[in-house]
Amino acid sequence: MKNRRIIPFAIAFALFLCLPAHSQQKLLTIDDIYDPAKKINFSGTVPNIRWLKDGRHYLVENDPSRKDLPRLQKVDAVTGEATRFFDSAKMQSAFSTLDGITSEDAKEWANRSSYQMNKNETAILINSNNDLYYYELGSEKALRVTNNREEEVGETFSPDGHMLAFIRSNDIYVFDLGTKQERRLTSDGGPKILNGRLDWVYQEELYGRGNFEAYWWSPDSTALAYLRIDESPVHEFTVVDHIPYHPALEVTAYPLAGDPNPIVKLGIVNAAGGETRWIDTSKYQPNDLLIVRVTWTPDSRKVVYQAQNRTQTFLDLNFAGALDGKSTTLLRETSKTWVEVVDNPTWLKDGSFLWQSVRNGWQHLYHYAPDGKLLQQVTDGKWEVRSIDGVDEDKGFVYFSGTEHSHIAPQTYRVKLDGTAVTRVTSTEGSHKVAVSPTSNLFIDNWSDVNTPTQTRLYDIDGKLVRVIDENKAGPLRQYKLGKSELLRVKTRDGFEMEAMMIRPPDFDATKKYPVLEFTYSGPHAPQVKNTWGGSTYMWHQLLAQKGYIIWICDNRTASGKGAESEWPVYRNFGELELRDLEDGLAWLKSQPYVDSDRIGIWGWSYGGYMTSSALTHSQSFKMGIAGGTVSDWRNYDTIYTERYMATPQNNPEGYKKSSPVNFAKDLHGKLLLIHGAIDDNVHQQNTVQFIYELQKADRQFQFMIYPKSRHGVTDPLLVKHMRTMMTDFILANL
């Protein structure tokens, strides 16, 4: 066993609020941060910007309170000259001529902050009042695309802009803008059969929360690939909204760990109509198949899809003929644990593609030939590629976000396709999120650090500043007496270097003893220590620091974001290693003379709620905890997330038993506050209720607060204020 002493990073680097001391006098209140009417905008305003396809201009959304400016302006990126993007009065007039459209509707549609546009950025599509409307910018007339009682969702333009696609009653429809004719492309959609539409678990765990679209236009606009999801095998879960006089029931197909998944098929249908051509997936068992990504080759000849087994121990990249559906596997990613979903290939002009893989323990770029032969590993090292931000094939560069310089603050880099000339393009310490122009000559950079709200600047592609778009000085921060935020590193007993952050009280005195509140998430590859602006939660932590608490955030190894290799040790056993790492962080903290070791609390939400519940049932280190939206039994959570890390309950019963705090309620130590949203459709309230029942049977006292009409997060501003007030009071009373 190695020495268990935890060694701080050799030179812990501190970040100070460089503000005049005499101006920092105010103390924060809950109203300052959370009151809907009184709250102060500490984060300032970050402009909502998107590049236009010419690469010279971008669209910017103006604040609706600025009556002297249109909601959308077209801006010359280099000069900053802004003009009206479209004639809103003409658009309003065009919509007003449509039957059944009120003047209020027409005005609202013509003054929105964003629109779904065609590829040429010359027409828009609006979904309102359960119908679709089309308008060509600058024209005198608008078009009502649908006019029925059924709801249309998932609407898109075809790549050539001549057609629209949408989902109605779980079937796919196409509307031809030339002939004004509607075509139904699928016919068996219904409550259990979803054509072109994702179910709950697929959107939540695979395609991105809130993204239910499950069809993909071919680049030549002649066909659509789509998923057909059969929910028949999936058990339903009922969530109850108790606020209406007659309670509302929300019934969702939700596969719990170990239960059957939906059955998925991948088909291709012509935009002109006709029978679906099904992709041959016969090499996979239907009840053991996940289709986790779909796209097309640029020539529209093949559908490209990624397939996994339900426990996600491999990932296949498959190419299927658009005409015959015959599949070929170009490459397979494997792991002794699990394989995470990666982005679709990034296509190059010669048909080759860039692929992201964690096969060596860190996510990096690989260059493949069209036939699947590996040409080159493009990036390498003990750091991660986080995203591909642009490709300039003329100059041979790939632009990407990565952590080579800092694990807690992504920067933008470029690299040659042959893997040479890796260059850091952004230079300011802190976190960068960039948008490279379509012509790859400029990029817009959103930058922040732990003390500075997001600022927006324009750079040339070599990283030279062109102009400041919005410095976002966030003046109110200067009025408040805030604690110092210090970023540091501490080592676990076996030498893993954990990132940590400490906020000390503004009037910190090293000769005194301070209680500590730790914030955690702890879930796989979900770091919370970041050199970036933290928003309202950061300000609430500052409020607690003003009340005499040290705030401590320490990322255990599996949450650290330091490569997939740091996640893999959690396989089949949630909670144990995470808690050991957190306690190793506390060991260093307790060695500091200014820390009161008997007054340490912990709080977190979702996986952080789970870890808080685990900490108070498996450790004596914590005097109190606040667990929000907690998972109390991993059998209660969905298949795709849970089985990725834990396998199935049938194949890992002991792991599920050990990992679930509901089984250790009798061991509760310290004061516990449980919080849950009443209509949480993600981590169901069932988790907290089951935990409560076991605590009650074990005669363990606790507190509980439920938030009606709230889902996995509490978002109603009035309820958020109530919650933060309650949490603050609980901390003051018990820590």
Side-chain angles (χ1 to χ4, degrees), residues 159-203:
D160 63 11
H162 296 158
M163 289 174 284
L164 310 172
F166 55 88
I167 309 299
R168 179 191 295 147
S169 299
N170 288 328
D171 274 319
I172 305 173
Y173 290 76
V174 163
F175 183 87
D176 191 307
L177 290 166
T179 64
K180 309 295 190 295
Q181 295 296 310
E182 177 183 287
R183 290 189 292 276
R184 183 175 181 175
L185 302 186
T186 63
S187 58
D188 64 342
K192 296 291 185 180
I193 302 296
L194 284 62
N195 290 308
R197 193 74 175 154
L198 297 177
D199 71 339
W200 186 91
V201 73
Y202 260 73
Q203 63 82 33

Side-chain angles (χ1 to χ4, degrees), residues 3 16 82 154 196 258 341 354 378 394 468 496 540 578 681 705 726:
N3 192 321
F16 298 90
V341 177
L354 294 173
V378 181
D394 293 337
V468 176
F496 185 87
W540 183 65
E578 299 97 309
D681 60 347
M705 180 61 69
M726 176 195 62

Side-chain angles (χ1 to χ4, degrees), residues 558-625:
T558 58
S560 67
K562 295 184 177 181
E565 67 179 24
S566 68
E567 299 176 81
W568 291 337
V570 83
Y571 191 51
R572 296 173 66 93
N573 189 21
F574 274 160
E576 184 176 359
L577 178 58
E578 299 97 309
L579 182 57
R580 193 184 81 184
D581 283 353
L582 294 183
E583 290 193 306
D584 283 356
L586 289 183
W588 176 84
L589 196 64
K590 291 176 181 179
S591 72
Q592 307 308 302
Y594 48 80
V595 169
D596 186 341
S597 299
D598 296 325
R599 298 172 65 196
I600 296 176
I602 185 171
W603 86 276
W605 203 276
S606 194
Y607 203 104
Y610 159 69
M611 278 308 302
T612 299
S613 300
S614 294
L616 266 67
T617 53
H618 290 76
S619 170
Q620 303 291 309
S621 297
F622 301 95
K623 186 179 180 184
M624 55 73 62

Side-chain angles (χ1 to χ4, degrees), residues 272-288:
E275 294 296 317
T276 292
R277 303 182 295 281
W278 297 106
I279 300 300
D280 180 10
T281 58
S282 58
K283 66 181 289 187
Y284 309 103
Q285 293 298 316
N287 62 356
D288 192 37

Side-chain angles (χ1 to χ4, degrees), residues 26-45 453 472-482 533 535-540 543 546 721:
K26 286 187 177 182
L27 296 180
L28 291 161
T29 67
I30 290 292
D31 282 357
D32 290 338
I33 307 171
Y34 294 111
D35 186 88
K38 301 176 183 177
K39 68 180 179 181
I40 295 168
N41 183 10
F42 292 108
S43 296
T45 302
N472 190 23
K473 294 183 177 180
L477 278 175
R478 299 176 178 272
Q479 304 171 23
Y480 287 82
K481 191 175 184 179
L482 303 182
W533 178 245
S536 60
T537 297
Y538 173 74
M539 296 306 296
W540 183 65
L543 178 150
Q546 290 176 349
K721 178 184 175 182

Side-chain angles (χ1 to χ4, degrees), residues 390-583:
V391 179
D392 184 348
E393 290 197 65
D394 293 337
K395 295 181 179 178
F397 282 119
V398 181
Y399 293 87
F400 65 91
S401 173
T403 61
E404 184 272 341
H405 177 70
S406 169
H407 293 296
I408 63 172
Q411 299 270 343
T412 298
Y413 301 81
R414 71 182 176 200
V415 63
K416 288 281 190 179
L417 281 169
D418 64 4
T420 63
V422 178
T423 305
R424 181 176 157 202
V425 178
T426 51
S427 58
T428 309
E429 293 296 327
S431 296
H432 297 260
K433 184 177 181 180
V434 310
V436 177
S437 68
T439 49
S440 299
N441 63 325
L442 300 165
F443 67 86
I444 294 168
D445 179 26
N446 283 333
W447 166 87
S448 72
D449 65 20
V450 71
N451 294 318
T452 313
T454 302
Q455 300 180 356
T456 307
R457 293 176 172 83
L458 178 74
Y459 293 86
D460 70 18
I461 204 62
D462 294 318
K464 180 181 178 182
L465 179 66
V466 176
R467 70 182 181 92
V468 176
I469 294 175
D470 192 332
E471 196 171 4
N472 190 23
K473 294 183 177 180
L477 278 175
R478 299 176 178 272
Q479 304 171 23
Y480 287 82
K481 191 175 184 179
L482 303 182
K484 184 182 73 172
S485 299
E486 182 180 6
L487 296 171
L488 49 92
R489 294 172 186 162
V490 297
K491 286 186 178 180
T492 64
R493 65 192 72 180
D494 58 354
F496 185 87
E497 200 166 59
M498 298 187 294
E499 305 289 340
M501 173 176 165
M502 183 192 299
I503 305 175
R504 304 186 191 192
D507 294 323
F508 178 76
D509 182 346
T511 66
K512 294 182 178 180
K513 294 277 190 179
Y514 293 91
V516 174
L517 179 68
E518 178 166 13
F519 170 64
T520 191
Y521 183 79
S522 295
H525 209 284
Q528 301 303 300
V529 179
K530 305 173 186 178
N531 191 6
T532 188
W533 178 245
S536 60
T537 297
Y538 173 74
M539 296 306 296
W540 183 65
H541 284 157
Q542 284 283 359
L543 178 150
L544 293 171
Q546 290 176 349
K547 295 183 182 296
Y549 296 94
I550 289 175
I551 304 301
W552 177 248
I553 308 172
C554 181
D555 281 330
N556 52 291
R557 76 189 73 195
T558 58
S560 67
K562 295 184 177 181
E565 67 179 24
S566 68
E567 299 176 81
W568 291 337
V570 83
Y571 191 51
R572 296 173 66 93
N573 189 21
F574 274 160
E576 184 176 359
L577 178 58
E578 299 97 309
L579 182 57
R580 193 184 81 184
D581 283 353
L582 294 183
E583 290 193 306

